[in-house]
Amino acid sequence: MTHGQTRLPKHRRDDRRATGSPPGAQPLFAEAVRHHQAGRLGAAEQLYRQILAVEPRNADGLHLLGVVACQTGRHAVAIDLIGKAIRLRNDVPDYHSNLGNALQGQGRLADAIARYRRAIVLKPDYADAHNNLGNALQRQGKLAEAAVHYRRAIDIEPNYLQAHNSLANVLKAQDKLGDARVHYERAIALKPDAPELCVNLGNVLHRQGRFADAASQYERAIVLQPDHADAYAGLGSALEQQGRADEAVAQYERALALDPDAAEVHVNLGNVLQGQGRLDAAARHYGRAIALRPAIAEAHNNLGNVFREQNRPDEAVAQYQRAIALKPDYAEAHSNLGNAYVAQGRAEAAQHAYQQAIHHSARTGVYYRHLFYVRRAVAGDPGVAAMEKLAQDMPSLPAKDQKELHFALGKAYADLGEHERAFRHLLNGNLLKRRELVYDEAAVLGMLSRIQAVFTPELMHARRGAADPSPVPVFIVGMPRSGTTLVEQILASHPKVFGAGERRELEQGVAALRVPNSGLPFPEIVPDLSDDQLRRLGAGYLAAVGAGAPWAARITDKMPANFSYLGLIRLALPNARIIHVRRDPIDTCLSCFALLFEVGQPYSYDLGELGRYYRAYAALMEHWRRALPAATMLEVRYEDIVADVEHQARRIVAHCGLEWDDACLAFYGTQRPIWTASATQVRQPIYRTSVGRRAPYLAFLWPLMRELGLAGAGSSVIAS
């Protein structure tokens, strides 16, 4: 921000009377002012000094020589010179205003403000003094008062460019974005070739959510000034918000090429890269931001998120703790710390972290949901009371927070046995979530059906034996909430097994499959894949999941949706073990409906869609029973594990080709990071309360029951 606007006075014909100057000095003074107005400050200063050598008490000469000193950053010199001019002539508004500018340059805001106010008393319609006073007040954080003086300057001079821009800056800081936009647009109309004004307008449009319009302003700034780093950074952010991630990365990289030390841009680029799954690259940019500005809390928080996705909870915790140390009221970091504690099995520490998040942001619904997902509500629970109080003001909350609060209340009321109230909140929460989603049900169900048509027993027989023979992978599949985490925890307790959690490498490998001159998608592309492509798919998957546990005889991948890829798994990794976990279909679907998933599962937020998806999943699993060799897949029922954990655990371990180990029965004591929604439950001994969960809700589940094809509310068996 400039300290003050300086306009040079026109040379006066009566200077001799004003200053005692002889008439012969007039041409020299006029020449000095011409140099000054043209920006030739050195020449102007030399002439002013010549005048003062002859006329030491020339007030205008002292004043304007002081202005030159101010403009060249010599504020102490300027204060001395202009002060002398004022002692000679105390009634000249320009002197007081420009002394205010010099005082601002030294950071002496209170003294500067006094001078501007004196100038305005002498000349109430002095636009420059009002603008400069606004600048000083803005620097003091007195935004409302600053705006008053900027508006006064504009009233006096409607085309006052700097006042329009400064007023817009203040209005933006006050979150008065519509008014700020008006004044930025006026400033641009006055100076269309100013790239900084375009960036300023772009920033307001960005904050208004008008990302395409913001991008246009940033692009205009770049045309005007191709090396404008802030314009590239703003364009990157606008593109990111439009979902144009690759283009956003390119613009952020251009911004950093121009300004490699822009810490905020490193953070923003890291965010996009993380969203693309490019975690190592994201971590590098967060690390660079931290090296440049160690106190930037957001970089530590976001680096913690990368470590979380890389299954490095200890390092994630350290970063979240650092973010909180730098910014104690950083509610998001407290919540993320709670999530990392859950993954570590530290439930009490997680609860404390979530409570801190609520303390610092009591109207943010997700923090309540996290808290009650990790502990049960009890009678008289102050957390429930806080949610109920917040729910009374539900319409005032953003839709996102309404959704989160509904899911949190649904869980809490279920804990308290108030099932009708619980289900009402679940319905509302799911409705809000479903409105956010673009879910093409026909395409999803159609793909599950097409998989059956492609992976025929004949194809499976014809392509056998051509791929990677490793016996290391164990795929645990099924519907979400069916018990896959429990089965993985049992296996991961074995000393020769590494539990890798939900991995996306297989999905990513499938998405990358290509056949020359073929635009076929999965699954139709599979018959055209070469044996070498199948080998590379299997080897690439093994390299990715095995990097974290080269010692393991078996590595589990419990991504439930891998049930879609069982045929391809058989072709690419024929010696991989597959475990299909089944649970009562109504209990499974109800558990899905009661959970707000962090990512994925778009089918689970409408009871009808959920039922239809489950039916398509069940049909595909029936197909795999026919198409896969009998020994390929072990089927385990969740209810059977609950009824006889040792028998089922022994079946699971034997299927994986491992000797029995008693540690598998003490699975709840196994220390390993678990990031799924079942992280708390699988650290407890077997309990039976999840069996028959549907009972209190059957009266509300008829849309689900109808799509599952169940005859009546009491039915509990469906082919799966």
Side-chain angles (χ1 to χ4, degrees):
M1 181 195 303
T2 57
H3 298 311
Q5 173 72 11
T6 298
R7 298 193 193 180
L8 303 180
K10 292 181 180 179
H11 178 57
R12 294 190 297 272
R13 289 286 183 185
D14 62 345
D15 271 353
R16 182 180 60 82
R17 292 189 300 275
T19 66
S21 305
Q26 300 300 315
L28 189 62
F29 203 102
E31 183 182 358
V33 170
R34 284 195 297 272
H35 281 301
H36 199 165
Q37 290 174 330
R40 296 186 291 272
L41 301 184
E45 179 171 357
Q46 184 176 4
L47 291 174
Y48 291 143
R49 291 191 180 281
Q50 289 180 27
I51 292 168
L52 290 170
V54 176
E55 305 177 59
R57 292 176 59 81
N58 187 312
D60 273 352
L62 290 165
H63 165 236
L64 292 175
L65 184 59
V67 169
V68 170
C70 184
Q71 290 174 314
T72 54
R74 294 171 290 153
H75 298 114
V77 173
I79 291 168
D80 177 64
L81 290 167
I82 301 174
K84 289 177 179 177
I86 289 173
R87 286 191 288 276
L88 291 169
R89 290 283 309 275
N90 191 40
D91 61 345
V92 181
D94 290 342
Y95 295 2
H96 291 280
S97 183
N98 287 329
L99 178 55
N101 295 344
L103 291 164
Q104 268 211 78
Q106 281 196 328
R108 296 166 59 184
L109 299 181
D111 293 337
I113 287 169
R115 290 296 170 175
Y116 296 136
R117 293 194 190 282
R118 176 61 180 158
I120 290 168
V121 167
L122 293 168
K123 185 180 179 182
D125 63 348
Y126 192 174
D128 287 343
H130 282 287
N131 180 70
N132 297 345
L133 177 54
N135 290 342
L137 292 166
Q138 183 179 359
R139 291 180 70 192
Q140 283 189 327
K142 298 176 180 178
L143 302 185
E145 192 176 354
V148 169
H149 288 281
Y150 290 136
R151 291 188 189 279
R152 179 65 181 133
I154 292 167
D155 288 341
I156 296 165
E157 292 189 25
N159 292 336
Y160 198 156
L161 171 66
Q162 290 82 3
H164 280 289
N165 185 57
S166 296
L167 176 57
N169 290 340
V170 165
L171 293 168
K172 182 176 71 172
Q174 293 177 306
D175 211 30
K176 298 177 179 179
L177 301 181
D179 292 340
R181 179 174 57 81
V182 168
H183 287 281
Y184 282 136
E185 288 172 343
R186 179 61 181 151
I188 289 172
L190 292 167
K191 190 172 177 59
D193 61 345
E196 199 62 40
L197 295 176
C198 298
V199 170
N200 288 346
L201 177 56
N203 292 342
V204 164
L205 293 167
H206 189 290
R207 283 179 57 181
Q208 287 183 310
R210 298 172 55 179
F211 302 118
D213 293 336
S216 296
Q217 291 300 322
Y218 297 132
E219 288 167 343
R220 180 178 176 182
I222 290 166
V223 170
L224 292 169
Q225 184 180 333
D227 64 347
H228 200 304
D230 288 346
Y232 287 108
L235 180 56
S237 183
L239 293 168
E240 177 187 354
Q241 293 298 326
Q242 295 177 77
R244 298 160 64 181
D246 290 340
E247 295 169 82
V249 167
Q251 298 304 324
Y252 284 138
E253 288 176 341
R254 290 189 179 101
L256 289 172
L258 293 165
D259 185 4
D261 294 340
E264 294 85 354
V265 181
H266 282 287
V267 172
N268 291 343
L269 176 53
N271 294 344
V272 182
L273 294 168
Q274 184 177 356
Q276 292 180 315
R278 298 163 63 183
L279 301 182
D280 290 339
R284 284 196 298 274
H285 283 283
Y286 293 141
R288 179 60 179 153
I290 291 167
L292 291 165
R293 282 181 51 195
I296 185 166
E298 291 76 10
H300 290 281
N301 177 71
N302 297 355
L303 181 57
N305 292 340
V306 169
F307 290 147
R308 170 184 172 172
E309 291 195 45
Q310 292 177 326
N311 203 23
R312 298 156 65 182
D314 295 345
E315 293 162 276
V317 164
Q319 290 300 321
Y320 295 140
Q321 289 174 333
R322 180 60 180 151
I324 292 166
L326 292 167
K327 190 176 177 181
D329 63 349
Y330 195 170
E332 181 184 340
H334 283 287
S335 181
N336 288 338
L337 178 60
N339 295 339
Y341 283 150
V342 170
Q344 291 179 320
R346 300 167 63 184
E348 290 187 9
Q351 291 178 41
H352 177 73
Y354 294 141
Q355 287 164 344
Q356 285 296 303
I358 291 168
H359 173 73
H360 293 297
S361 186
R363 292 175 62 83
T364 303
V366 65
Y367 305 145
Y368 295 96
R369 179 172 65 84
H370 285 161
L371 176 62
F372 283 96
Y373 276 11
V374 82
R375 75 169 175 85
R376 291 183 61 82
V378 296
D381 196 314
V384 175
M387 288 195 294
E388 289 174 333
K389 181 179 179 180
L390 185 57
Q392 292 174 2
D393 198 24
M394 188 78 80
S396 72
L397 296 176
K400 176 181 68 174
D401 291 303
Q402 292 185 38
K403 171 193 67 184
E404 297 280 359
L405 189 59
H406 279 304
F407 274 97
L409 284 165
K411 166 61 165 61
Y413 285 137
D415 290 344
L416 296 170
E418 299 184 39
H419 300 295
E420 184 174 351
R421 295 180 74 183
F423 201 78
R424 190 183 311 121
H425 283 288
L426 291 179
L427 282 173
N428 288 330
N430 277 279
L431 179 62
L432 289 168
K433 177 63 176 179
R434 183 64 185 86
R435 288 174 180 169
E436 297 175 1
L437 299 173
V438 177
Y439 171 51
D440 189 341
E441 182 182 30
V444 171
L445 301 188
M447 189 187 76
L448 296 180
S449 178
R450 285 164 29 226
I451 289 171
Q452 297 182 48
V454 169
F455 286 94
T456 63
E458 292 75 20
L459 174 71
M460 303 301 297
H461 180 76
R463 300 301 301 272
R464 71 189 188 283
D468 194 297
S470 172
V472 170
V474 178
F475 292 92
I476 303 169
V477 302
M479 281 287 290
R481 311 298 293 156
S482 63
T484 53
T485 302
L486 175 59
V487 169
E488 182 179 52
Q489 184 73 351
I490 290 170
L491 272 174
S493 301
H494 195 287
K496 294 184 178 180
V497 177
F498 175 69
E502 296 184 354
R503 305 296 296 241
R504 296 197 172 274
E505 284 82 0
L506 183 61
E507 177 186 3
Q508 293 163 354
V510 172
L513 291 173
R514 298 289 185 274
V515 172
N517 303 316
S518 170
L520 292 174
F522 178 84
E524 284 78 10
I525 194 175
V526 172
D528 295 333
L529 296 175
S530 67
D531 290 349
D532 184 59
Q533 283 179 296
L534 290 172
R535 275 191 292 271
R536 282 190 279 116
L537 176 64
Y541 173 84
L542 283 168
V545 300
W551 53 267
R554 300 289 183 268
I555 297 175
T556 60
D557 178 341
K558 67 153 297 280
M559 178 61 73
N562 280 341
F563 76 84
S564 300
Y565 302 128
L566 295 188
L568 190 60
I569 289 170
R570 177 64 183 177
L571 296 180
L573 294 161
N575 292 320
R577 271 68 170 182
I578 298 169
I579 301 173
H580 175 214
V581 187
R582 301 160 55 189
R583 183 185 177 191
D584 176 274
I586 305 175
D587 283 352
T588 300
C589 292
L590 176 59
S591 292
C592 289
F593 194 69
L595 185 71
L596 181 57
F597 292 93
E598 298 296 336
V599 293
Q601 285 62 255
Y603 53 80
S604 70
Y605 300 104
D606 174 275
L607 288 172
E609 290 174 341
L610 181 54
R612 290 189 289 275
Y613 184 88
Y614 187 96
R615 207 169 63 222
Y617 142 78
L620 182 54
M621 291 311 304
E622 182 59 35
H623 170 77
W624 294 133
R625 293 185 188 102
R626 296 190 301 268
L628 298 176
T632 301
M633 181 170 67
L634 174 71
E635 301 208 59
V636 180
R637 293 182 69 249
Y638 171 77
E639 292 81 2
D640 292 341
I641 299 175
V642 172
D644 188 351
V645 63
E646 180 171 356
H647 176 68
Q648 296 302 321
R650 287 181 179 276
R651 288 182 67 219
I652 292 166
V653 170
H655 177 69
C656 294
L658 299 171
E659 70 283 1
W660 173 251
D661 193 290
D662 286 339
C664 296
L665 292 180
F667 59 87
Y668 45 85
T670 298
Q671 297 300 309
R672 54 180 287 266
I674 304 173
W675 296 100
T676 69
S678 301
T680 303
Q681 292 92 323
V682 299
R683 290 194 168 98
Q684 305 172 43
I686 288 289
Y687 57 91
R688 299 176 179 273
T689 54
S690 292
V691 176
R693 179 180 182 179
R694 67 188 186 277
Y697 300 99
L698 285 176
F700 316 124
L701 294 176
W702 64 266
L704 172 67
M705 310 281 286
R706 180 184 60 205
E707 296 302 333
L708 289 175
L710 297 177
S715 301
S716 62
V717 178
I718 185 173
S720 59

